[in-house]
Coordinates of all heavy atoms in Angstrom, one line a residue:
M1 N 30.8 48.4 -2.1 CA 29.4 48.1 -2.3 C 29.2 46.8 -3.1 O 28.3 46.0 -2.8 CB 28.7 49.3 -2.9 CG 27.3 49.3 -2.3 SD 26.5 50.7 -2.7 CE 25.8 51.2 -1.2
R2 N 30.0 46.6 -4.1 CA 29.8 45.4 -5.0 C 30.1 44.2 -4.2 O 29.4 43.2 -4.4 CB 30.8 45.5 -6.2 CG 30.2 46.3 -7.3 CD 31.1 46.1 -8.5 NE 30.5 46.8 -9.5 CZ 30.6 46.6 -10.8 NH1 31.4 45.6 -11.1 NH2 30.0 47.2 -11.7
A3 N 31.0 44.2 -3.3 CA 31.4 43.0 -2.5 C 30.2 42.6 -1.6 O 29.9 41.4 -1.5 CB 32.6 43.3 -1.6
A4 N 29.5 43.5 -1.1 CA 28.3 43.2 -0.2 C 27.2 42.6 -1.1 O 26.6 41.6 -0.6 CB 27.8 44.5 0.4
R5 N 27.0 43.1 -2.3 CA 26.0 42.5 -3.1 C 26.3 41.1 -3.6 O 25.5 40.2 -3.6 CB 25.8 43.4 -4.4 CG 24.5 44.1 -4.4 CD 24.3 44.7 -5.7 NE 24.0 46.1 -5.4 CZ 23.9 47.1 -6.3 NH1 24.2 46.8 -7.5 NH2 23.6 48.3 -6.0
A6 N 27.5 40.9 -3.9 CA 28.0 39.6 -4.4 C 27.8 38.5 -3.3 O 27.5 37.4 -3.6 CB 29.4 39.6 -4.9
S7 N 28.1 38.8 -2.1 CA 28.0 37.8 -1.0 C 26.6 37.6 -0.5 O 26.3 36.6 0.1 CB 28.9 38.2 0.2 OG 28.4 39.4 0.8
S8 N 25.7 38.5 -0.8 CA 24.3 38.3 -0.3 C 23.6 37.3 -1.1 O 22.7 36.6 -0.6 CB 23.5 39.7 -0.3 OG 23.3 40.1 -1.7
G9 N 23.9 37.1 -2.4 CA 23.3 36.1 -3.2 C 23.4 34.7 -2.6 O 22.4 34.0 -2.4
P10 N 24.7 34.2 -2.4 CA 24.8 32.8 -1.9 C 24.2 32.7 -0.5 O 23.7 31.6 -0.2 CB 26.3 32.6 -1.8 CG 26.9 33.6 -2.9 CD 25.9 34.7 -2.8
R11 N 24.3 33.7 0.3 CA 23.7 33.6 1.7 C 22.2 33.5 1.6 O 21.6 32.7 2.3 CB 24.1 34.9 2.5 CG 23.7 34.8 3.9 CD 24.1 36.0 4.7 NE 25.5 36.4 4.5 CZ 26.0 37.6 4.5 NH1 25.2 38.6 4.8 NH2 27.2 37.9 4.2
R12 N 21.6 34.2 0.7 CA 20.1 34.2 0.5 C 19.7 32.8 0.0 O 18.7 32.2 0.4 CB 19.7 35.2 -0.5 CG 18.2 35.3 -0.7 CD 17.9 36.4 -1.6 NE 16.4 36.5 -1.8 CZ 15.8 37.1 -2.7 NH1 16.5 37.9 -3.5 NH2 14.5 37.1 -2.8
L13 N 20.5 32.3 -0.9 CA 20.3 30.9 -1.5 C 20.4 29.9 -0.4 O 19.5 29.0 -0.3 CB 21.3 30.6 -2.6 CG 21.0 29.3 -3.3 CD1 19.7 29.3 -4.0 CD2 22.1 29.1 -4.4
R14 N 21.3 30.0 0.5 CA 21.5 29.0 1.6 C 20.3 29.1 2.5 O 19.7 28.1 3.0 CB 22.8 29.3 2.4 CG 24.0 28.7 1.8 CD 25.1 28.8 2.7 NE 25.4 30.2 2.9 CZ 26.6 30.8 2.6 NH1 27.6 30.0 2.3 NH2 26.8 32.1 2.8
R15 N 19.8 30.3 2.9 CA 18.6 30.5 3.7 C 17.4 29.9 3.1 O 16.6 29.2 3.7 CB 18.4 32.0 4.0 CG 19.1 32.4 5.3 CD 18.7 33.8 5.7 NE 19.7 34.7 5.1 CZ 19.5 35.9 4.7 NH1 18.3 36.4 4.8 NH2 20.4 36.6 4.2
L16 N 17.2 30.1 1.8 CA 16.1 29.6 1.1 C 16.1 28.1 1.0 O 15.1 27.4 1.3 CB 16.1 30.2 -0.4 CG 14.9 29.8 -1.2 CD1 13.6 30.2 -0.6 CD2 15.0 30.4 -2.6
S17 N 17.3 27.5 0.8 CA 17.5 26.1 0.8 C 17.2 25.5 2.2 O 16.5 24.4 2.3 CB 18.9 25.7 0.4 OG 19.1 24.4 0.4
A18 N 17.7 26.1 3.2 CA 17.4 25.6 4.6 C 15.9 25.7 4.9 O 15.4 24.8 5.5 CB 18.2 26.4 5.6
W19 N 15.3 26.7 4.5 CA 13.8 26.9 4.7 C 13.1 25.8 4.0 O 12.2 25.1 4.5 CB 13.3 28.2 4.2 CG 11.9 28.4 4.5 CD1 11.3 28.8 5.6 CD2 10.8 28.1 3.5 NE1 9.9 28.8 5.4 CE2 9.6 28.4 4.2 CE3 10.8 27.6 2.2 CZ2 8.4 28.2 3.5 CZ3 9.6 27.4 1.6 CH2 8.4 27.7 2.3
A20 N 13.4 25.5 2.7 CA 12.7 24.5 1.9 C 12.9 23.1 2.5 O 12.0 22.3 2.6 CB 13.2 24.5 0.5
T21 N 14.2 22.8 3.0 CA 14.4 21.5 3.6 C 13.6 21.4 4.9 O 13.0 20.3 5.1 CB 15.9 21.4 3.9 OG1 16.6 21.5 2.7 CG2 16.2 20.0 4.6
G22 N 13.5 22.4 5.7 CA 12.8 22.4 6.9 C 11.3 22.2 6.7 O 10.6 21.4 7.3
A23 N 10.8 22.9 5.6 CA 9.4 22.8 5.3 C 9.0 21.4 4.8 O 8.0 20.8 5.2 CB 9.0 23.8 4.2
A24 N 9.9 20.8 4.0 CA 9.7 19.4 3.5 C 9.7 18.4 4.7 O 8.8 17.5 4.8 CB 10.7 19.0 2.5
A25 N 10.6 18.6 5.6 CA 10.7 17.7 6.8 C 9.4 17.8 7.6 O 8.8 16.8 8.1 CB 11.9 17.9 7.6
G26 N 9.0 19.0 7.8 CA 7.8 19.3 8.6 C 6.5 18.7 7.9 O 5.7 18.1 8.6
F27 N 6.5 18.8 6.6 CA 5.3 18.2 5.9 C 5.3 16.7 6.1 O 4.2 16.1 6.3 CB 5.5 18.6 4.4 CG 4.4 17.9 3.5 CD1 3.1 18.5 3.5 CD2 4.7 16.8 2.8 CE1 2.1 17.9 2.7 CE2 3.7 16.2 2.0 CZ 2.4 16.8 2.0
L28 N 6.4 16.0 6.0 CA 6.5 14.6 6.2 C 6.1 14.2 7.6 O 5.4 13.2 7.8 CB 7.9 14.0 5.9 CG 8.3 14.1 4.4 CD1 9.8 13.6 4.2 CD2 7.4 13.2 3.5
L29 N 6.4 15.0 8.6 CA 6.0 14.7 9.9 C 4.5 14.8 10.1 O 3.9 14.0 10.8 CB 6.8 15.6 10.9 CG 8.2 15.2 11.2 CD1 8.9 16.3 12.0 CD2 8.4 13.8 11.8
V30 N 4.0 15.9 9.6 CA 2.6 16.2 9.7 C 1.7 15.2 9.0 O 0.7 14.7 9.5 CB 2.2 17.6 9.3 CG1 0.8 17.8 9.2 CG2 2.9 18.6 10.2
T31 N 2.1 14.8 7.8 CA 1.3 13.8 7.0 C 1.5 12.4 7.4 O 0.8 11.5 7.0 CB 1.6 14.0 5.5 OG1 3.0 13.7 5.3 CG2 1.2 15.3 5.0
G32 N 2.5 12.1 8.3 CA 2.7 10.7 8.7 C 3.3 9.8 7.7 O 3.1 8.6 7.7
C33 N 4.0 10.4 6.7 CA 4.6 9.5 5.7 C 5.7 8.6 6.3 O 6.4 9.0 7.2 CB 5.2 10.4 4.6 SG 4.0 11.2 3.6
S34 N 5.7 7.4 5.7 CA 6.7 6.4 6.2 C 7.8 6.3 5.2 O 7.6 6.5 4.0 CB 6.0 5.1 6.4 OG 7.0 4.1 6.7
T35 N 9.0 6.0 5.6 CA 10.1 5.7 4.7 C 10.1 4.3 4.2 O 10.8 3.9 3.3 CB 11.4 6.1 5.4 OG1 11.6 5.3 6.5 CG2 11.5 7.5 5.7
Q36 N 9.2 3.4 4.8 CA 9.2 2.0 4.4 C 8.2 1.9 3.2 O 7.2 2.6 3.1 CB 8.7 1.2 5.5 CG 9.6 1.0 6.7 CD 9.0 0.1 7.8 OE1 7.9 0.4 8.3 NE2 9.7 -0.9 8.1
D37 N 8.5 0.9 2.4 CA 7.6 0.6 1.2 C 6.4 -0.1 1.7 O 6.5 -1.1 2.4 CB 8.3 -0.2 0.2 CG 9.4 0.6 -0.5 OD1 9.2 1.8 -0.7 OD2 10.4 0.0 -0.9
A38 N 5.2 0.3 1.3 CA 4.0 -0.4 1.7 C 3.9 -1.7 0.9 O 4.3 -1.8 -0.2 CB 2.8 0.5 1.5
I39 N 3.3 -2.7 1.5 CA 3.0 -4.0 0.8 C 2.1 -3.8 -0.3 O 2.3 -4.3 -1.4 CB 2.5 -5.0 1.8 CG1 3.5 -5.4 2.9 CG2 2.0 -6.3 1.1 CD1 4.7 -6.2 2.4
C40 N 1.0 -3.0 -0.1 CA 0.0 -2.7 -1.2 C -0.2 -1.2 -1.3 O 0.1 -0.5 -0.3 CB -1.3 -3.5 -0.9 SG -1.2 -5.3 -1.0
G41 N -0.9 -0.8 -2.3 CA -1.2 0.6 -2.5 C -2.4 1.0 -1.5 O -3.0 0.1 -0.9
G42 N -2.7 2.2 -1.5 CA -3.6 2.8 -0.5 C -5.0 2.2 -0.7 O -5.8 2.1 0.3
D43 N -5.5 1.8 -1.9 CA -6.8 1.3 -2.1 C -6.8 -0.2 -2.2 O -7.8 -0.8 -2.7 CB -7.4 1.9 -3.3 CG -7.7 3.4 -3.2 OD1 -7.9 3.9 -2.1 OD2 -7.6 4.1 -4.2
E44 N -5.8 -0.9 -1.7 CA -5.7 -2.3 -1.8 C -5.3 -2.9 -0.4 O -4.9 -2.2 0.5 CB -4.5 -2.7 -2.8 CG -4.7 -2.2 -4.2 CD -3.5 -2.4 -5.0 OE1 -2.4 -2.3 -4.6 OE2 -3.7 -2.8 -6.2
Y45 N -5.5 -4.2 -0.3 CA -5.1 -5.0 0.8 C -4.4 -6.3 0.4 O -4.7 -6.8 -0.7 CB -6.3 -5.3 1.8 CG -7.3 -6.3 1.2 CD1 -7.3 -7.6 1.4 CD2 -8.4 -5.8 0.4 CE1 -8.2 -8.5 0.8 CE2 -9.3 -6.6 -0.2 CZ -9.2 -8.0 0.1 OH -10.2 -8.8 -0.5
P46 N -3.5 -6.8 1.2 CA -2.7 -8.0 0.8 C -3.5 -9.3 1.0 O -4.3 -9.3 2.0 CB -1.5 -7.9 1.7 CG -1.9 -7.2 2.9 CD -3.0 -6.2 2.4
V47 N -3.4 -10.2 0.2 CA -4.0 -11.6 0.3 C -2.9 -12.6 0.2 O -1.9 -12.4 -0.5 CB -5.1 -11.8 -0.7 CG1 -6.3 -10.9 -0.3 CG2 -4.7 -11.6 -2.1
L48 N -3.1 -13.8 0.8 CA -2.1 -14.9 0.8 C -2.7 -16.0 -0.1 O -3.8 -16.4 0.0 CB -2.0 -15.4 2.2 CG -1.0 -16.5 2.5 CD1 0.4 -16.1 2.1 CD2 -1.0 -16.9 3.9
N49 N -1.8 -16.6 -0.9 CA -2.1 -17.7 -1.7 C -2.2 -19.0 -0.8 O -1.3 -19.3 -0.1 CB -1.0 -17.9 -2.8 CG -1.4 -19.0 -3.8 OD1 -1.3 -20.2 -3.5 ND2 -1.7 -18.6 -5.0
V50 N -3.3 -19.7 -0.9 CA -3.5 -20.9 0.0 C -2.5 -21.9 -0.4 O -2.4 -22.3 -1.6 CB -5.0 -21.4 -0.2 CG1 -5.1 -22.7 0.6 CG2 -6.0 -20.4 0.3
G51 N -1.8 -22.4 0.5 CA -0.8 -23.5 0.3 C 0.6 -23.1 -0.1 O 1.4 -23.9 -0.3
S52 N 0.8 -21.8 -0.3 CA 2.1 -21.3 -0.7 C 2.4 -19.9 0.0 O 1.5 -19.4 0.6 CB 2.3 -21.2 -2.2 OG 1.7 -20.1 -2.7
A53 N 3.6 -19.4 -0.2 CA 3.9 -18.1 0.4 C 3.6 -17.0 -0.6 O 4.0 -15.9 -0.4 CB 5.4 -18.1 0.9
G54 N 2.9 -17.3 -1.7 CA 2.6 -16.3 -2.7 C 1.6 -15.3 -2.2 O 0.8 -15.6 -1.4
R55 N 1.7 -14.1 -2.7 CA 0.8 -13.0 -2.3 C 0.3 -12.2 -3.4 O 0.9 -12.3 -4.5 CB 1.5 -12.1 -1.3 CG 2.1 -12.7 -0.1 CD 2.7 -11.6 0.7 NE 3.9 -12.2 1.4 CZ 4.7 -11.4 2.2 NH1 4.5 -10.2 2.3 NH2 5.7 -12.0 2.8
A56 N -0.7 -11.4 -3.2 CA -1.2 -10.5 -4.2 C -1.8 -9.3 -3.4 O -2.0 -9.4 -2.2 CB -2.2 -11.2 -5.1
C57 N -2.2 -8.3 -4.2 CA -2.9 -7.1 -3.6 C -4.2 -7.1 -4.3 O -4.3 -7.2 -5.5 CB -2.1 -5.8 -3.8 SG -0.6 -5.8 -2.9
V58 N -5.3 -6.8 -3.5 CA -6.6 -6.8 -4.1 C -7.3 -5.5 -3.7 O -7.1 -4.9 -2.7 CB -7.5 -8.0 -3.5 CG1 -8.9 -7.9 -3.9 CG2 -6.8 -9.3 -3.8
D59 N -8.1 -5.0 -4.7 CA -8.8 -3.7 -4.4 C -9.7 -3.9 -3.2 O -10.4 -5.0 -3.0 CB -9.7 -3.4 -5.7 CG -10.4 -2.1 -5.6 OD1 -11.3 -1.9 -4.8 OD2 -9.9 -1.2 -6.3
K60 N -9.8 -2.9 -2.3 CA -10.5 -3.0 -1.1 C -12.0 -3.2 -1.3 O -12.7 -3.7 -0.4 CB -10.3 -1.7 -0.2 CG -9.0 -1.6 0.4 CD -8.8 -0.4 1.3 CE -7.5 -0.4 1.9 NZ -7.3 0.8 2.7
K61 N -12.5 -3.0 -2.5 CA -13.9 -3.2 -2.8 C -14.2 -4.6 -3.2 O -15.4 -4.9 -3.5 CB -14.4 -2.2 -3.9 CG -14.3 -0.7 -3.4 CD -14.6 0.2 -4.6 CE -14.4 1.6 -4.2 NZ -14.5 2.5 -5.3
Q62 N -13.2 -5.4 -3.4 CA -13.4 -6.8 -3.9 C -13.0 -7.8 -2.9 O -12.2 -7.6 -2.0 CB -12.5 -7.0 -5.2 CG -12.9 -6.1 -6.3 CD -12.0 -6.2 -7.5 OE1 -11.0 -7.0 -7.4 NE2 -12.3 -5.6 -8.6
E63 N -13.5 -9.0 -3.0 CA -13.1 -10.2 -2.2 C -11.8 -10.8 -2.8 O -11.5 -10.6 -4.0 CB -14.2 -11.2 -2.2 CG -15.4 -10.8 -1.4 CD -15.1 -10.5 0.1 OE1 -14.4 -11.4 0.7 OE2 -15.5 -9.5 0.6
P64 N -11.1 -11.6 -2.1 CA -9.9 -12.2 -2.6 C -10.3 -13.2 -3.8 O -11.3 -13.8 -3.8 CB -9.4 -13.1 -1.5 CG -10.0 -12.4 -0.2 CD -11.3 -11.9 -0.6
P65 N -9.4 -13.3 -4.8 CA -9.7 -14.2 -5.9 C -9.6 -15.6 -5.4 O -9.1 -15.9 -4.4 CB -8.6 -13.9 -6.9 CG -7.6 -13.1 -6.2 CD -8.2 -12.5 -5.0
Q66 N -10.1 -16.5 -6.2 CA -10.1 -18.0 -5.9 C -8.7 -18.4 -5.7 O -7.7 -18.1 -6.4 CB -10.7 -18.8 -7.0 CG -10.8 -20.2 -6.7 CD -11.6 -21.0 -7.8 OE1 -12.0 -20.5 -8.8 NE2 -11.8 -22.3 -7.5
G67 N -8.4 -19.2 -4.6 CA -7.1 -19.6 -4.2 C -6.4 -18.7 -3.3 O -5.3 -19.1 -2.9
Y68 N -6.9 -17.6 -2.9 CA -6.3 -16.6 -2.0 C -7.3 -16.4 -0.9 O -8.5 -16.5 -1.0 CB -6.1 -15.3 -2.7 CG -4.9 -15.3 -3.7 CD1 -5.1 -15.8 -5.0 CD2 -3.7 -14.9 -3.3 CE1 -4.1 -15.8 -5.9 CE2 -2.6 -14.9 -4.2 CZ -2.8 -15.4 -5.5 OH -1.8 -15.4 -6.4
V69 N -6.7 -16.0 0.3 CA -7.4 -15.7 1.5 C -6.8 -14.4 2.1 O -5.7 -14.1 1.8 CB -7.4 -16.8 2.5 CG1 -8.1 -18.0 2.0 CG2 -6.0 -17.1 3.0
R70 N -7.6 -13.8 2.9 CA -7.1 -12.6 3.7 C -6.2 -13.2 4.7 O -6.3 -14.3 5.2 CB -8.3 -11.9 4.4 CG -9.2 -11.2 3.4 CD -10.4 -10.5 4.2 NE -11.3 -10.0 3.3 CZ -11.4 -8.7 2.9 NH1 -10.6 -7.8 3.4 NH2 -12.3 -8.3 2.1
F71 N -5.2 -12.3 5.1 CA -4.3 -12.7 6.2 C -5.1 -12.7 7.5 O -6.1 -12.0 7.7 CB -3.2 -11.7 6.3 CG -2.1 -11.8 5.3 CD1 -2.2 -11.1 4.1 CD2 -1.0 -12.7 5.5 CE1 -1.3 -11.2 3.1 CE2 -0.1 -12.8 4.5 CZ -0.2 -12.1 3.3
P72 N -4.7 -13.6 8.5 CA -5.4 -13.6 9.7 C -5.4 -12.3 10.4 O -4.3 -11.6 10.3 CB -4.6 -14.7 10.5 CG -4.0 -15.5 9.5 CD -3.7 -14.6 8.4
Q73 N -6.4 -11.9 11.1 CA -6.5 -10.6 11.8 C -5.3 -10.5 12.8 O -5.0 -11.4 13.5 CB -7.8 -10.5 12.6 CG -8.0 -9.1 13.1 CD -9.4 -8.9 13.7 OE1 -10.2 -9.9 13.8 NE2 -9.7 -7.7 14.1
G74 N -4.7 -9.3 12.7 CA -3.5 -9.1 13.6 C -2.2 -9.6 13.1 O -1.2 -9.4 13.7
K75 N -2.2 -10.3 11.9 CA -1.0 -10.8 11.3 C -0.8 -10.4 9.9 O -0.3 -11.1 9.0 CB -1.1 -12.4 11.4 CG -1.1 -12.9 12.8 CD -1.1 -14.4 12.9 CE -1.1 -14.8 14.3 NZ -1.1 -16.3 14.5
V76 N -1.3 -9.2 9.6 CA -1.3 -8.7 8.2 C 0.0 -7.9 8.0 O 0.3 -7.0 8.7 CB -2.5 -7.7 8.0 CG1 -2.5 -7.2 6.5 CG2 -3.8 -8.5 8.2
P77 N 0.8 -8.3 7.0 CA 2.0 -7.5 6.7 C 1.6 -6.1 6.1 O 0.6 -6.0 5.3 CB 2.7 -8.3 5.6 CG 1.6 -9.1 5.0 CD 0.6 -9.4 6.0
E78 N 2.2 -5.0 6.6 CA 1.9 -3.7 6.1 C 3.0 -3.1 5.3 O 2.8 -2.3 4.4 CB 1.5 -2.8 7.3 CG 0.2 -3.3 8.0 CD -0.2 -2.4 9.2 OE1 0.4 -1.3 9.3 OE2 -1.0 -2.8 9.9
H79 N 4.3 -3.3 5.8 CA 5.4 -2.7 5.1 C 6.4 -3.8 4.8 O 6.6 -4.8 5.5 CB 6.1 -1.7 6.0 CG 5.2 -0.5 6.3 ND1 5.0 0.5 5.4 CD2 4.5 -0.3 7.4 CE1 4.1 1.3 5.9 NE2 3.8 0.9 7.1
V80 N 7.2 -3.6 3.7 CA 8.2 -4.6 3.3 C 9.2 -4.7 4.4 O 9.7 -3.7 4.9 CB 8.9 -4.1 2.0 CG1 10.1 -5.0 1.6 CG2 7.9 -4.1 0.8
G81 N 9.5 -5.9 4.9 CA 10.5 -6.1 5.9 C 9.9 -6.1 7.3 O 10.7 -6.3 8.3
D82 N 8.6 -5.8 7.5 CA 8.1 -5.7 8.9 C 8.0 -7.2 9.4 O 8.2 -8.1 8.7 CB 6.8 -4.9 9.0 CG 5.6 -5.6 8.4 OD1 5.6 -6.8 8.0 OD2 4.6 -4.9 8.2
K83 N 7.6 -7.3 10.7 CA 7.5 -8.6 11.4 C 6.7 -9.6 10.6 O 7.1 -10.7 10.4 CB 6.9 -8.3 12.7 CG 6.5 -9.5 13.5 CD 5.8 -9.2 14.8 CE 5.3 -10.4 15.6 NZ 4.7 -10.0 16.8
W84 N 5.5 -9.2 10.1 CA 4.6 -10.1 9.4 C 5.0 -10.4 8.0 O 4.8 -11.5 7.5 CB 3.1 -9.7 9.6 CG 2.7 -9.7 11.0 CD1 2.3 -8.6 11.8 CD2 2.6 -10.8 11.8 NE1 2.0 -9.0 13.0 CE2 2.2 -10.4 13.1 CE3 2.8 -12.2 11.6 CZ2 2.0 -11.3 14.2 CZ3 2.6 -13.1 12.7 CH2 2.2 -12.6 14.0
D85 N 5.6 -9.4 7.4 CA 6.2 -9.7 6.0 C 7.2 -10.8 6.1 O 7.2 -11.8 5.3 CB 6.8 -8.4 5.5 CG 7.4 -8.6 4.1 OD1 6.8 -9.3 3.2 OD2 8.5 -8.2 3.9
K86 N 8.1 -10.7 7.1 CA 9.1 -11.8 7.2 C 8.5 -13.1 7.6 O 8.9 -14.2 7.1 CB 10.1 -11.4 8.3 CG 11.0 -10.2 7.8 CD 11.9 -9.7 8.9 CE 12.7 -8.5 8.5 NZ 13.5 -8.0 9.6
Y87 N 7.5 -13.1 8.5 CA 6.9 -14.3 9.0 C 6.2 -15.1 7.8 O 6.3 -16.3 7.6 CB 5.8 -14.0 10.0 CG 5.0 -15.2 10.5 CD1 5.6 -16.0 11.5 CD2 3.8 -15.4 10.0 CE1 4.8 -17.1 12.0 CE2 3.0 -16.5 10.5 CZ 3.6 -17.3 11.5 OH 2.9 -18.4 11.9
W88 N 5.4 -14.3 7.0 CA 4.7 -15.0 5.9 C 5.5 -15.4 4.7 O 5.0 -16.1 3.8 CB 3.5 -14.1 5.4 CG 2.5 -13.9 6.5 CD1 2.2 -12.9 7.2 CD2 1.6 -15.0 6.9 NE1 1.2 -13.2 8.1 CE2 0.8 -14.5 8.0 CE3 1.4 -16.3 6.6 CZ2 -0.2 -15.2 8.6 CZ3 0.4 -17.1 7.2 CH2 -0.3 -16.5 8.3
R89 N 6.8 -15.1 4.7 CA 7.7 -15.6 3.7 C 8.0 -17.1 3.9 O 8.3 -17.8 3.0 CB 9.0 -14.9 3.7 CG 8.9 -13.5 3.3 CD 10.3 -12.8 3.4 NE 10.1 -11.3 3.2 CZ 11.1 -10.4 3.4 NH1 12.3 -10.9 3.7 NH2 10.8 -9.2 3.3
T90 N 7.8 -17.6 5.2 CA 8.0 -19.0 5.5 C 6.8 -19.7 6.0 O 6.9 -20.9 6.4 CB 9.1 -19.1 6.5 OG1 8.7 -18.4 7.7 CG2 10.5 -18.6 6.0
H91 N 5.6 -19.1 6.0 CA 4.4 -19.7 6.5 C 3.3 -19.4 5.5 O 3.3 -18.5 4.7 CB 4.0 -19.1 7.8 CG 4.9 -19.5 8.9 ND1 6.2 -18.9 9.1 CD2 4.8 -20.4 9.9 CE1 6.8 -19.4 10.1 NE2 6.0 -20.4 10.6
T92 N 2.2 -20.2 5.6 CA 1.1 -20.1 4.7 C -0.2 -20.6 5.5 O -0.1 -21.0 6.6 CB 1.2 -20.8 3.4 OG1 0.2 -20.4 2.5 CG2 1.2 -22.3 3.6
V93 N -1.3 -20.5 4.8 CA -2.5 -21.0 5.3 C -2.9 -22.2 4.4 O -2.9 -22.1 3.2 CB -3.6 -20.0 5.4 CG1 -5.0 -20.5 5.8 CG2 -3.2 -18.8 6.2
D94 N -3.3 -23.4 5.1 CA -3.7 -24.5 4.2 C -5.2 -24.4 3.9 O -5.9 -23.4 4.4 CB -3.4 -25.8 4.9 CG -4.1 -26.1 6.2 OD1 -5.1 -25.4 6.5 OD2 -3.6 -27.0 6.9
R95 N -5.8 -25.3 3.3 CA -7.2 -25.3 2.8 C -8.2 -25.2 4.0 O -9.3 -24.7 3.9 CB -7.5 -26.5 1.9 CG -6.9 -26.4 0.6 CD -7.2 -27.6 -0.3 NE -6.4 -27.8 -1.4 CZ -6.6 -27.3 -2.6 NH1 -7.7 -26.6 -2.8 NH2 -5.7 -27.5 -3.5
S96 N -7.8 -25.7 5.2 CA -8.7 -25.7 6.3 C -8.5 -24.4 7.2 O -9.2 -24.3 8.2 CB -8.4 -26.9 7.2 OG -7.1 -26.9 7.7
G97 N -7.6 -23.6 6.7 CA -7.3 -22.3 7.5 C -6.3 -22.4 8.5 O -6.1 -21.4 9.3
T98 N -5.6 -23.5 8.6 CA -4.5 -23.7 9.6 C -3.2 -23.1 9.1 O -2.8 -23.3 7.9 CB -4.3 -25.2 9.9 OG1 -5.6 -25.8 10.3 CG2 -3.2 -25.4 10.9
I99 N -2.5 -22.4 9.9 CA -1.2 -21.8 9.6 C -0.2 -22.9 9.6 O -0.1 -23.6 10.6 CB -0.8 -20.6 10.5 CG1 -1.8 -19.5 10.4 CG2 0.6 -20.2 10.2 CD1 -1.6 -18.3 11.3
T100 N 0.6 -23.0 8.5 CA 1.6 -24.1 8.4 C 2.9 -23.4 7.9 O 2.8 -22.4 7.2 CB 1.2 -25.2 7.5 OG1 1.0 -24.7 6.2 CG2 0.0 -25.9 8.0
E101 N 4.0 -24.1 8.1 CA 5.3 -23.7 7.6 C 5.3 -24.1 6.1 O 4.9 -25.2 5.8 CB 6.4 -24.3 8.3 CG 7.3 -23.2 9.0 CD 8.5 -23.8 9.7 OE1 8.3 -24.4 10.7 OE2 9.6 -23.6 9.2
V102 N 5.9 -23.3 5.3 CA 6.1 -23.6 3.9 C 7.3 -24.5 3.7 O 8.4 -24.2 4.3 CB 6.3 -22.3 3.0 CG1 6.6 -22.6 1.6 CG2 5.1 -21.4 3.2
S103 N 7.2 -25.6 3.0 CA 8.3 -26.5 2.7 C 9.4 -25.7 1.9 O 9.1 -25.1 0.9 CB 7.9 -27.7 2.0 OG 6.9 -28.4 2.7
P104 N 10.6 -25.9 2.4 CA 11.7 -25.2 1.6 C 11.8 -25.9 0.2 O 11.7 -27.1 0.1 CB 13.0 -25.5 2.4 CG 12.6 -26.5 3.5 CD 11.1 -26.6 3.5
Q105 N 12.1 -25.0 -0.8 CA 12.3 -25.5 -2.1 C 13.7 -26.0 -2.3 O 14.7 -25.5 -1.8 CB 12.0 -24.4 -3.1 CG 10.6 -23.8 -3.1 CD 9.6 -24.9 -3.5 OE1 9.8 -25.6 -4.4 NE2 8.4 -24.8 -2.9
S106 N 13.9 -27.2 -3.0 CA 15.2 -27.7 -3.2 C 15.8 -27.2 -4.5 O 15.1 -27.0 -5.5 CB 15.2 -29.2 -3.3 OG 14.3 -29.8 -2.5

């Protein structure tokens, strides 16, 4: 009888661990969490520094600070390493709003 009791503990622990892992995975699927890092926090949006590849995050209730503009519609980086994040590392918007390539630094 002692042998049965001793082996039920680890088995119960494994079942509990498997259940917890499954529940956590299900929660992530339901909530739509991403494994990628977001460019800005949930209450912020990214802005681009005019004339350079510099960026910042601004509270959604505020306009961009002087010297910054919103990214063009449809070209907003959302996650680190996504298509637009990579693009805007080498491009910027000039004072007239034209997209230009950033000059490489020597």
